[in-house]
Amino acid sequence: MSQKEELVAQALDSFAIELPSWGFANTGTRFGKYVQPEAATSIEDKFADAAQVHTLTGVSPTMAIHVLWDLPAGLADVPVIQKLEKKYGIRTGSINPNFFERQEYKFGSLCNPDAGVRKTALQHLLDSIEIAKSLNSRDISLWLSDGSNYPGTQSIRKRIDWLMDSLVAAHTHLGSSQRMLVEYKPFEPAFYHTDIADWGMALLLARHAGPQAHVLVDTGHHYQSQNIEQIVVWLLREKILGGFHFNDRRYADDDLTIGSMDPYQVFRIFHELHCDPEGLKQTAFMIDQSHNLKGKLEAMVQTVSTAQELYAKAAIVDRDRLAELQDAALIVEAEECLREAFWYDVRPAINAWRRSKGLPEDPLAALRSSGYIERIRAERKAQNTNSTVSYA
Ligand code: AFD
Ligand code: MN
Ligand code: MN
């Protein structure tokens, strides 16, 4: 085995990426949705689909759960999830509270000017922490859509204080091995200010909440041409990076399949993670995508394979040589050292790794020839009734 093949195999042995339950169900945009007859129609379907992706790729043993969507009865639904975990061999991953769908969250959840609404939202967060405890889930992953649409309509200052109070309160409820991941997003659905709009706000909020709070980087949550790997280095250095929601974007938070627009950026993010092995160990890799045009399962298998490939490319960077070239400011040689790994074809090494694990060399082809999609389409077609595209 060549040195590069060794490095690829080592990297893939410790690589895992979490699947989002919401990535298997029919979703859409505000301009309506295109119903896929084979899309998941229940939490059991989601577990079955996640198990299929994990069987084909070998690196996705956990699935992120969205509390309101996947446990409508809250804690009472935990036994249902536990049964499905056993039946499909997929463990619950991160727990995602829902701070954006209830009508009373119109002017915010944890940042709402109405103390009663803030109390409801905090209770939902505490319930989500209890659900996480009962499912042995380490991460409670918080995304708030809170914000405002017009200048002067809300007090940015007061909303910071209200939010900090709630996060401090929630942090005291965390189990000793649990983490609270604070996700940031510059805009959408709020279009004037978003209460957790960038990595600095998320870092300050996490730090104020307590030592078990970390920052979650969603790769789609940045302005055009922002240098995400530079943010990642800062968060690693501050020992406060908790994980990623991986997707790709062309314009905004487009939730496209990872690497479909800018694979070099994802490679650079993974490179900075490989430069910090201790930080890497603490970093959860999660997918956060919704595939409106591509088939749900094909897109998910494509995403996992692409993430493996870019992670493997970043693993073969000659980091010692790169450091020497950087320190000597030999800039073209340094750039070529990085690019050399990016352009190296790691697919043969990945195929060899998959063979050694008894996995299909081409998981996408294996999915297509398995008959799984045809089967679930026949089973689920009736439930996925065709809804006309309606404008919000
Ligand atoms: C949306 C939000 C955010 C969140 C995800 C799951 O933009 O990324 O993490 O939904 O709730 O994509
Ligand atoms: Mn996200
Ligand atoms: Mn998003």
Side-chain angles (χ1 to χ4, degrees):
M1 200 188 267
S2 73
Q3 200 220 0
K4 283 194 169 71
E5 282 172 335
E6 280 278 351
L7 288 170
V8 166
Q10 252 168 27
L12 293 183
D13 278 346
S14 60
F15 176 88
I17 188 162
E18 185 166 293
L19 304 173
S21 69
W22 55 94
F24 294 111
N26 273 315
T27 50
T29 69
R30 62 189 173 132
F31 302 104
K33 67 174 134 178
Y34 298 102
V35 174
Q36 300 189 21
E38 66 276 4
T41 59
S42 66
I43 183 65
E44 171 141 18
D45 287 353
K46 294 173 184 177
F47 267 92
D49 292 355
Q52 183 67 10
V53 174
H54 182 49
T55 303
L56 292 165
T57 63
V59 294
S60 297
T62 62
M63 181 170 74
I65 297 283
H66 226 287
V67 174
L68 280 200
W69 302 333
D70 298 325
L71 292 101
L75 267 168
D77 277 341
V78 162
V80 173
I81 302 289
Q82 287 166 329
K83 247 170 57 205
L84 294 173
E85 287 179 317
K86 283 199 188 69
K87 182 174 177 182
Y88 291 99
I90 290 287
R91 289 192 328 278
T92 298
S94 58
I95 298 293
N96 293 259
N98 189 310
F99 291 118
F100 49 88
E101 269 186 337
R102 296 171 72 124
Q103 287 301 305
E104 56 263 50
Y105 292 159
K106 183 174 180 179
F107 299 116
S109 58
L110 294 174
C111 305
N112 195 295
D114 178 329
V117 175
R118 296 199 300 270
K119 193 159 169 275
T120 304
L122 177 57
Q123 190 53 53
H124 176 62
L125 175 49
L126 300 182
D127 294 346
S128 301
I129 292 172
E130 292 314 310
I131 288 170
K133 281 177 187 164
S134 54
L135 290 168
N136 299 314
S137 168
R138 177 187 65 172
D139 292 337
I140 293 92
S141 190
L142 315 184
W143 173 65
L144 274 67
S145 60
D146 290 32
S148 65
N149 279 356
Y150 299 95
T153 55
Q154 279 293 291
S155 163
I156 295 173
R157 188 172 284 100
K158 283 186 191 165
R159 293 170 74 100
I160 294 170
D161 295 336
W162 293 329
L163 179 52
M164 282 192 166
D165 292 348
S166 290
L167 295 183
V168 168
H171 189 279
T172 61
H173 285 74
L174 291 173
S176 56
S177 60
Q178 286 188 310
R179 308 189 309 172
M180 190 160 66
L181 306 185
V182 181
E183 183 175 2
Y184 59 89
K185 179 172 181 177
F187 72 96
E188 187 198 29
F191 293 107
Y192 164 63
H193 99 279
T194 296
D195 290 297
I196 313 178
D198 69 20
W199 70 276
M201 298 175 201
L203 186 152
L204 289 170
L205 286 163
R207 183 148 291 158
H208 188 84
Q212 292 168 245
H214 294 71
V215 175
L216 186 132
V217 177
D218 184 307
T219 49
H221 291 186
H222 300 85
Y223 291 114
Q224 292 284 20
S225 78
Q226 225 173 330
N227 186 327
I228 302 176
E229 63 269 25
Q230 182 181 10
I231 295 169
V232 169
V233 171
W234 272 98
L235 294 173
L236 283 167
R237 192 174 186 283
E238 293 297 318
K239 302 201 180 324
I240 204 160
L241 176 65
F244 288 89
H245 274 177
F246 280 117
N247 47 61
D248 212 337
R249 60 189 291 272
R250 185 78 193 87
Y251 299 104
D253 183 28
D254 311 328
D255 282 352
L256 302 173
T257 39
I258 190 174
S260 55
M261 293 293 165
D262 186 352
Y264 194 33
Q265 170 181 274
V266 183
F267 161 84
R268 298 194 306 268
I269 291 171
F270 281 145
H271 164 61
E272 295 302 346
L273 285 160
H274 282 298
C275 291
D276 181 345
E278 281 316 301
L280 174 57
K281 279 188 209 135
Q282 298 306 318
T283 306
F285 291 170
M286 302 180 269
I287 295 165
D288 176 11
Q289 292 165 177
S290 57
H291 315 102
N292 301 323
L293 302 183
K294 285 182 179 176
K296 304 282 172 185
L297 271 116
E298 281 188 311
M300 205 63 86
V301 170
Q302 216 184 5
T303 283
V304 174
S305 309
T306 305
Q308 282 181 298
E309 194 174 340
L310 294 169
Y311 187 75
K313 284 175 178 283
I316 63 172
V317 172
D318 184 341
R319 288 185 288 281
D320 293 341
R321 183 163 155 264
L322 181 63
E324 284 163 19
L325 294 169
Q326 289 170 337
D327 292 350
L330 293 170
I331 57 174
V332 173
E333 293 86 338
E335 185 192 12
E336 283 308 307
C337 177
L338 188 69
R339 277 166 42 93
E340 181 189 321
F342 178 67
W343 291 111
Y344 183 83
D345 185 358
V346 291
R347 287 173 300 181
I350 294 176
N351 292 350
W353 178 83
R354 287 178 176 145
R355 275 197 307 276
S356 75
K357 303 290 177 189
L359 293 164
E361 285 187 29
D362 180 344
L364 195 54
L367 170 66
R368 286 189 172 138
S369 61
S370 68
Y372 181 78
I373 296 175
E374 291 70 19
R375 180 162 65 78
I376 59 173
R377 185 176 296 138
E379 285 168 7
R380 303 174 188 174
K381 195 166 47 190
Q383 272 186 280
N384 280 311
T385 47
N386 228 328
S387 58
T388 48
V389 174
S390 59
Y391 285 82

